Amino acid sequence: MPQLCLNHVDKDYLLEPDKQVLHAVQDLDLSIEQGEFVFITGSSGAGKSTLLQLLSCNLQPTRGSVYYNGVNMTALSPRRQNRVRLAYGYVPQLSSLVRKRTVGENLLPVAALGPGGNAQAPARLRKALGLVGMGDVLDCYPAELSMGQCRRVELARAIVNNPEVLFLDELTANLDEDTAWDLFLFLEELNLRGTTVIMASHAKRFINLMRRRVVTLVDGRILGDVQRGRYGDLV
């Protein structure tokens, strides 16, 4: 049974003021096995972020179903969906760090959701920050950090509870090449240890070097799904 599965999934939005329907993604069928590393590619507006949010159950589909380990997530109550989502880590495209809180204060509420709750949360967040090379910024505010450092902190927040699946939306966008490559190597190590990594990215050079599964979206539809693919591969 695939770990994650989309079955004929659509996501529509009603645009104001003329009530036109925007088809963000259409008729998506996609299965992702446990332990895969999958790149989601496509031009801006192709539906990459929407696809990640549907897979992670941060969005409900207009039509179709999303399955996780055989469970129809779209049929669950919001409370039960939230319980299942504890197995996920997510880094959104836009930074979600609260600027008036320190790094520790940003990460602690998420760490407290993991095993051991509040008692073990501080140790887990220190370990996660250390893994991404940010062990000395616990008391810093986001404004004191560079963009690359903030993205590392957000990655630490996503992995703090050892998620089974990691969703990453343009994690390395606007980062220098050395920082981006360090993050890709770290993600590869996580994946080798069993974490499923699903990453929306425009990083053509790195995608071509890593040669993992590449799913290509065009106008909200999957037009390419290639094992050991390169950026833009359709077959």
Side-chain angles (χ1 to χ4, degrees):
M1 178 65 66
Q3 184 186 56
L4 282 163
C5 181
L6 298 183
N7 185 16
H8 297 296
V9 166
D10 299 342
K11 182 61 181 178
D12 299 338
Y13 293 99
L14 195 61
L15 302 180
E16 299 292 348
D18 52 5
K19 307 298 184 182
Q20 285 189 336
V21 176
L22 171 66
H23 303 293
V25 296
Q26 303 176 66
D27 198 29
L28 296 185
D29 282 315
L30 181 66
S31 295
I32 297 174
E33 303 286 348
Q34 182 173 357
E36 282 199 89
F37 194 129
V38 183
F39 287 110
I40 309 296
T41 67
S43 61
S44 296
K48 300 186 298 299
S49 295
T50 301
L51 173 54
L52 286 187
Q53 291 182 68
L54 288 165
L55 283 167
S56 61
C57 293
N58 286 315
L59 273 181
Q60 286 288 102
T62 306
R63 288 168 293 277
S65 301
V66 180
Y67 293 88
Y68 176 65
N69 283 345
V71 176
N72 185 351
M73 296 290 290
T74 49
L76 299 181
S77 67
R79 177 175 293 184
R80 291 187 65 192
Q81 282 190 2
N82 287 336
R83 198 172 302 146
V84 175
R85 278 203 297 264
L86 292 176
Y88 300 160
Y90 196 102
V91 179
Q93 185 172 357
L94 300 177
S95 177
S96 58
L97 295 176
V98 179
R99 296 177 65 83
K100 293 185 178 180
R101 295 180 182 175
T102 65
V103 167
E105 291 167 342
N106 270 282
L107 270 61
L108 190 59
V110 179
L113 297 174
N118 288 317
Q120 296 183 22
R124 268 203 311 279
L125 72 86
R126 285 193 293 271
K127 178 181 179 181
L129 286 168
L131 286 172
V132 299
M134 298 296 291
D136 58 348
V137 303
L138 199 63
D139 297 320
C140 295
Y141 289 89
E144 300 177 273
L145 306 177
S146 68
M147 181 183 297
Q149 289 173 320
C150 285
R151 295 306 271 172
R152 285 176 181 263
V153 167
E154 290 184 280
L155 179 57
R157 181 173 59 186
I159 66 171
V160 70
N161 293 323
N162 298 315
E164 295 177 356
V165 187
L166 193 56
F167 297 96
L168 308 168
D169 196 350
E170 298 290 357
L171 175 67
T172 60
N174 302 315
L175 300 185
D176 66 81
E177 189 170 289
D178 287 343
T179 300
W181 187 237
D182 285 345
L183 288 178
F184 275 113
L185 291 176
F186 175 70
L187 294 173
E188 188 169 44
E189 179 64 28
L190 279 182
N191 179 245
L192 289 173
R193 295 180 182 181
T195 303
T196 303
V197 179
I198 305 171
M199 184 177 190
S201 180
H202 282 110
K204 179 178 180 179
R205 179 169 180 266
F206 297 107
I207 293 171
N208 290 346
L209 285 170
M210 294 183 70
R211 300 302 297 267
R212 298 302 188 100
R213 182 178 176 186
V214 177
V215 174
T216 303
L217 289 177
V218 177
D219 294 333
R221 295 180 182 272
I222 295 175
L223 290 193
D225 187 349
V226 182
Q227 297 288 345
R228 293 186 53 79
R230 298 170 62 87
Y231 190 93
D233 281 353
L234 299 181
V235 293

